[in-house]
Amino acid sequence: MSTAADIAAFPIVLDVDVAWGEMDAFNHVNNAVYFRYFESARIAFLIAIGFAEPADNDGVGPILASTHCTFKRPLRFPDAVRIGARATELTDDRFVMEYIIHSTTLASTAATGGGVVVAYDYARNTKASIPLRVRDRIAELG
């Protein structure tokens, strides 16, 4: 069971209403939707650190190398979720992300997950170093 303190540890938090159309034949939110929730939080994180647009960083931008999810509780409509995102590790060319999905109705964690985001030079089709200003912004977010 998560608490408000758990979600408060994440610098990026999105509030999203669960849509009726996200449920599947088993009367719960389809597992693929959890990854969409993670994606929304990841994009908000990338915008916050100034890394969403390669054009803003001399052609270097993010590319998702891997992602995973641990399903803890099924979500159902109606509900509202709080989705948190943060970076937990940072190296020269990548950072590890952590996610949490907190159900308002259940008052607990519905899922946790993570991923690896690599800095990618889209003009040269190769990984690159994370730009310094992006690294600084990740550090500022904590």
Side-chain angles (χ1 to χ4, degrees):
M1 196 159 155
S2 67
T3 65
D6 294 330
I7 198 79
F10 289 78
I12 300 298
V13 177
L14 302 179
D15 293 309
V16 176
D17 289 329
V18 172
W20 181 86
E22 293 172 335
M23 296 203 316
D24 61 20
F26 298 108
N27 197 33
H28 59 73
V29 171
N30 185 277
N31 60 350
V33 174
Y34 291 71
F35 288 99
R36 195 172 317 126
Y37 292 158
F38 290 165
E39 177 185 52
S40 294
R42 181 174 56 255
I43 297 303
F45 183 87
L46 294 173
I47 290 168
I49 64 171
F51 201 44
E53 295 293 332
D56 295 339
N57 295 290
D58 296 322
V60 175
I63 193 164
L64 185 65
S66 66
T67 190
H68 67 274
C69 181
T70 300
F71 302 96
K72 297 183 176 287
R73 303 279 307 266
L75 293 170
R76 292 183 175 82
F77 173 86
D79 198 350
V81 293
R82 304 198 80 210
I83 310 155
R86 64 183 172 190
T88 58
E89 296 176 38
L90 176 63
T91 63
D92 177 63
D93 66 349
R94 66 193 62 214
F95 55 92
V96 176
M97 295 205 66
E98 182 180 8
Y99 312 111
I100 187 170
I101 300 174
H102 178 86
S103 164
T104 303
T105 298
L106 301 173
S108 68
T109 298
T112 58
V116 176
V117 176
V118 175
Y120 193 77
D121 186 323
Y122 283 89
R124 293 184 178 90
N125 293 319
T126 186
K127 67 181 178 174
S129 294
I130 296 172
L132 182 57
R133 69 179 193 84
V134 172
R135 298 174 67 79
D136 290 345
R137 187 65 183 129
I138 291 170
E140 288 171 15
L141 283 178

